[in-house]
Amino acid sequence: MNSVILNRVNMGFIAALVGFTSSIALIYQAATNLGADLVMVSSWVFALGLGMGITSIGLSIYYRTPLLIAWSTPGAALLITSTQGFSINEAVAAFIFSASLITLSGISGLFEKLMNRVPLQIASAMLAGILLSFGIEVFNVMNQSPLLVGLMFISFLISKALAPRFAMLTILIVGIASAWLQGLFVIPELSWSLGQLVYVEPEWNIAALINIGLPLFLVTMATQNMPGIAILKAHGYHAPVSKLMTVTGVTNILIAPFGGFGINLAAITAAICMSEDADKDPKKRYWAAASAGAFYLLMGLCALSLMTLFKAMPTALIMALAGIALFSTIGGSLQHAFIESPYKEAALMTFLVTASDFTLWNIGSALWGVVAGLVTISVTALLATKKGS
């Protein structure tokens, strides 16, 4: 395996690793709150891994674009609180309802028309705001594990200067070896077994559709699909948005009865696959997303065993790995956001709001960052028109 292929596979692995470990606890809690046992939780992870893997591989290769599909992390967090008082059967019906709304947004083309009105500088500023906390978190976790994260950071600086193609692979090896030598990572006893899909009969309940399905749709579109499209746009990729929404929506409908509550365009992990560490040639970076899709399939098949293994990894290792992998993307996004243009001030507003903890109506700062940028553009244009007249 040559260095180029190795980089693609490695970045795909890191993207899948970060995506899986960063929110698997939320999915476990959401499922258990609905009365799911370990077998049922495994079914949720298997269904999600199957949906994400097949769509990531298929879409990325077909469109030759790094189209990484992920589960809805905000959606999982929403389920923890919104499913109280409802059965797992009613929740599954709500999953299907949410997925149907996503499918309709793709068929109608309304979401794509909205995204086409967002300038590149705004998209880049939104991306920078989303990823900023991940870059900062590298140095926050360095307080907790100075030797582990310090060695990873120094390895990054050295490998980036001497062997940039192997930078992330070097950091991964150094991080795992350092954690193991320090006793922070003890490989647990694993009983390897394939996951299984458990079908849950949907039970239609208007209250569940309104309290679970509708908020799940809004959160997924506003905090996952919108940033996902913005990240593609910020990296110069032009994907068929409506078709992507349709494909992910239909796939979501198929996996919902088995616990697939929500899949969507990835944002954070997609940025890892779009970095130059995945491939110097932007036209070939889709292989990194396809690689991540293959790892998602593998994770789904071995859900129970892998959940045990990843749980043993220190949090500092995962957070540092994610942050360092996004350094170049953060820098590039800031550079594109603040080039001299009429949208420079709007980009600043977008960046500041997105990077904040601002939340309104259970919708996070990513959407409101875009809103702030577009409002700034509109007000500036209106005042300029009045001043000219």
Side-chain angles (χ1 to χ4, degrees):
M1 183 182 291
N2 61 40
S3 61
V4 174
I5 297 177
L6 188 62
N7 284 341
R8 296 170 185 168
V9 173
N10 181 55
M11 294 304 284
F13 173 73
I14 290 175
L17 175 67
V18 170
F20 191 87
T21 55
S22 63
S23 55
I24 188 63
L26 294 175
I27 293 175
Y28 179 83
Q29 187 176 349
T32 53
N33 281 0
L34 286 165
D37 56 15
L38 276 177
V39 175
M40 183 64 73
V41 174
S42 174
S43 175
W44 281 43
V45 176
F46 190 2
L48 291 165
L50 195 65
M52 295 186 302
I54 292 174
T55 50
S56 294
I57 296 170
L59 291 171
S60 294
I61 294 177
Y62 184 79
Y63 289 110
R64 295 183 179 273
T65 301
L67 298 170
L68 186 60
I69 307 302
W71 57 49
S72 175
T73 299
L78 177 72
L79 293 179
I80 294 174
T81 57
S82 66
T83 55
Q84 294 180 2
F86 296 104
S87 69
I88 193 168
N89 303 79
E90 292 169 333
V92 163
F95 300 165
I96 297 173
F97 177 64
S98 172
S100 299
L101 292 177
I102 293 173
T103 304
L104 288 174
S105 73
I107 294 174
S108 66
L110 292 176
F111 185 67
E112 182 169 10
K113 292 176 183 177
L114 174 64
M115 289 305 300
N116 285 338
R117 293 182 177 275
V118 179
L120 175 61
Q121 285 77 17
I122 300 298
S124 297
M126 179 191 189
L127 174 58
I130 292 172
L131 302 183
L132 181 64
S133 62
F134 285 83
I136 294 174
E137 192 64 20
V138 173
F139 304 99
N140 288 336
V141 296
M142 195 179 287
N143 280 327
Q144 307 164 14
S145 303
L147 182 58
L148 171 63
V149 181
L151 286 172
M152 293 175 69
F153 181 65
I154 292 172
S155 299
F156 164 74
L157 297 177
I158 294 174
S159 57
K160 198 69 175 175
L162 300 179
R165 286 189 173 184
F166 298 98
M168 290 311 303
L169 179 60
T170 301
I171 295 164
L172 178 62
I173 294 172
V174 169
I176 292 176
S178 176
W180 180 71
L181 289 172
Q182 294 179 62
L184 300 174
F185 178 40
V186 179
I187 300 176
E189 292 185 9
L190 298 174
S191 177
W192 294 97
S193 60
L194 291 177
Q196 56 181 299
L197 295 174
V198 180
Y199 178 79
V200 176
E201 184 72 29
E203 185 177 321
W204 300 95
N205 180 315
I206 296 297
L209 300 185
I210 295 174
N211 288 283
I212 301 175
L214 187 58
L216 181 60
F217 163 72
L218 294 174
V219 165
T220 299
M221 296 299 286
T223 65
Q224 293 287 126
N225 281 325
M226 182 172 281
I229 295 298
I231 284 173
L232 283 165
K233 192 172 183 178
H235 284 84
Y237 295 108
H238 303 284
V241 177
S242 294
K243 291 181 180 179
L244 296 181
M245 295 301 100
T246 303
V247 170
T248 55
V250 170
T251 304
N252 201 162
I253 292 173
L254 295 176
I255 64 174
F258 306 99
F261 64 90
I263 62 171
N264 43 248
L265 289 172
I268 308 300
T269 49
I272 295 175
C273 294
M274 295 178 200
S275 70
E276 63 178 19
D277 292 315
D279 200 301
K280 293 293 183 183
D281 184 358
K283 295 181 179 178
K284 298 294 179 65
R285 291 174 189 168
Y286 67 91
W287 285 113
S291 174
F295 282 114
Y296 273 131
L297 280 176
L298 180 61
M299 288 177 181
L301 290 169
C302 307
L304 281 172
S305 302
L306 287 175
M307 284 173 65
T308 304
L309 177 63
F310 287 139
K311 190 176 180 180
M313 287 187 176
T315 302
L317 171 62
I318 301 300
M319 297 305 297
L321 194 63
I324 293 173
L326 292 168
F327 277 172
S328 61
T329 303
I330 295 170
S333 299
L334 289 170
Q335 183 178 6
H336 290 133
F338 298 116
I339 59 173
E340 286 298 329
S341 77
Y343 304 124
K344 189 174 182 180
E345 187 173 358
L348 176 62
M349 296 302 108
T350 299
F351 172 70
L352 293 175
V353 173
T354 304
S356 72
D357 296 323
F358 183 77
T359 302
L360 185 62
W361 301 319
N362 289 323
I363 297 176
S365 60
L367 174 62
W368 297 119
V370 174
V371 171
L374 295 178
V375 168
T376 303
I377 292 174
S378 299
V379 171
T380 302
L382 180 62
L383 293 176
T385 301
K386 288 188 175 182
K387 184 177 180 180
S389 60

